[in-house]
Amino acid sequence: MMRYRYGPWDPSYFAVLGSLVGRGLIEVVPAEGTNALGYRTTEPGAALVEHFKIDGAFDEVVGRITLLRRHLDLTGESLKKMLYDLPEVADATWHEELT
């Protein structure tokens, strides 16, 4: 990941998100109450997620996501502030790789 103005970001996310949009698994939507954009799953995307849950191949990932959502179900702004409390993020220069 690299430090950017609004928090750490991995440039490879653009390719991943674009691929998911291109496959019709997610869609770009206006973020509620802002001028920003966000993403949400489409019906085919949600169906694929349910298939993977049943399949069991992603049980570890599902468990981690469930745990993260339970304890870190925060806004992007809140997560950004939390990250910038970490010295390795706050002290990094813009576009510096974070390890």
Side-chain angles (χ1 to χ4, degrees), residues 56-67:
F58 289 88
D59 283 350
E60 185 176 341
V61 174
V62 170
R64 288 179 185 181
I65 291 169
T66 302
L67 184 66

Side-chain angles (χ1 to χ4, degrees), residues 14 17 32 44 47 61 75:
F14 289 116
L17 292 169
E32 222 173 283
V61 174
T75 65

Side-chain angles (χ1 to χ4, degrees), residues 24-43:
L25 300 175
I26 64 172
E27 60 188 347
V28 180
V29 295
E32 222 173 283
T34 72
N35 292 327
L37 297 174
Y39 299 91
R40 74 170 168 218
T41 54
T42 60
E43 286 186 33

